[in-house]
Amino acid sequence: MRPPYLLVDIDGVLIPFPDADGSTPATHARHDVVPTGRSVDDPVTVWLNQAHGPMLMEVIRTGLVTLVWCTSWRQDATTLIGPLLGLPPLPYVDLPRPEITTSHPNGYLWKRDHVDAWLGDAPAVWIDDDFTSLDHAWAAERTARGVATLLLQPDPHVGLQAEHLAEVLAWAGHLPVVPASEPGASPGAEAA
């Protein structure tokens, strides 16, 4: 049986954006990481909440969803960010590196077309801080045609909260279980 995908962004979800005064939540600790293509002399500082790892592991252990990174961190999500939270290697949507000046070049989140192609007809809940009304309309249209889709949008200055994951589990717990062998039960890019 294939559970729905839980697509998780990192920036604004696990790594909160600083407030106007530069502060981050007291729950988050500083880490310096070196993303792919960057020099060890030029690390990136990230702020992570150590409670997120156990919270996400609890969700994974339910078997109700399959967690997949959906972030511009790409593979670095699974090799840099996940280990800092105590998470095992997880699959990721291999997003391109578009040359854009806004995260909404067509009025909706730049990732959406890539996610739509990756998912195919697989149900999904997607946690990202940067959706627009057009993204919510896309999710509603998928759901209306029988492909359950839920978007959750944390406050980018606070990030992921326990109630977001409770909503994920409540949503997934109400979905009919689809055998993995049924057509459309898995996305076209399974290896991502």
Side-chain angles (χ1 to χ4, degrees):
M1 302 292 195
R2 168 146 323 272
Y5 288 99
L6 167 56
L7 305 177
V8 179
D9 183 30
I10 291 183
D11 294 316
V13 175
L14 297 181
I15 301 171
F17 292 114
D19 284 331
D21 64 0
S23 66
T24 56
T27 53
H28 289 64
R30 178 189 169 132
H31 300 272
D32 289 328
V33 297
V34 181
T36 301
R38 199 152 178 138
S39 164
V40 293
D41 299 329
D42 189 23
V44 173
T45 299
V46 298
W47 297 86
L48 295 169
N49 181 344
Q50 289 309 127
H52 283 156
M55 289 167 50
L56 289 168
M57 281 304 299
E58 222 175 279
V59 170
I60 291 168
R61 282 188 201 105
T62 68
L64 291 173
V65 293
T66 299
L67 199 149
V68 176
W69 296 118
C70 186
T71 172
S72 58
W73 283 84
R74 297 165 189 82
Q75 183 176 356
D76 288 336
T78 200
T79 59
L80 296 178
I81 303 302
L84 289 172
L85 296 172
L87 296 172
L90 296 167
Y92 62 95
V93 177
D94 195 13
L95 296 168
R97 296 183 189 276
E99 293 190 23
I100 55 176
T101 57
T102 174
S103 57
H104 310 109
N106 297 308
Y108 55 86
L109 185 57
W110 71 272
K111 301 174 195 174
R112 194 184 84 203
D113 290 336
H114 307 287
V115 166
D116 192 39
W118 188 87
L119 285 173
D121 286 332
V125 55
W126 185 3
I127 303 176
D128 200 298
D129 65 296
D130 207 14
F131 296 123
T132 71
S133 60
L134 293 177
D135 297 307
H136 290 283
W138 167 80
E141 183 274 325
R142 278 177 53 94
T143 299
R145 64 179 169 84
V147 182
T149 305
L150 174 66
L151 303 184
L152 297 177
Q153 191 166 356
D155 178 328
H157 299 284
V158 176
L160 184 69
Q161 301 294 302
E163 56 265 21
H164 296 121
L165 297 177
E167 188 171 350
V168 166
L169 295 178
W171 175 84
H174 287 97
L175 292 179
V177 179
V178 178
S181 61
E182 275 191 32
S186 62
E190 188 67 34

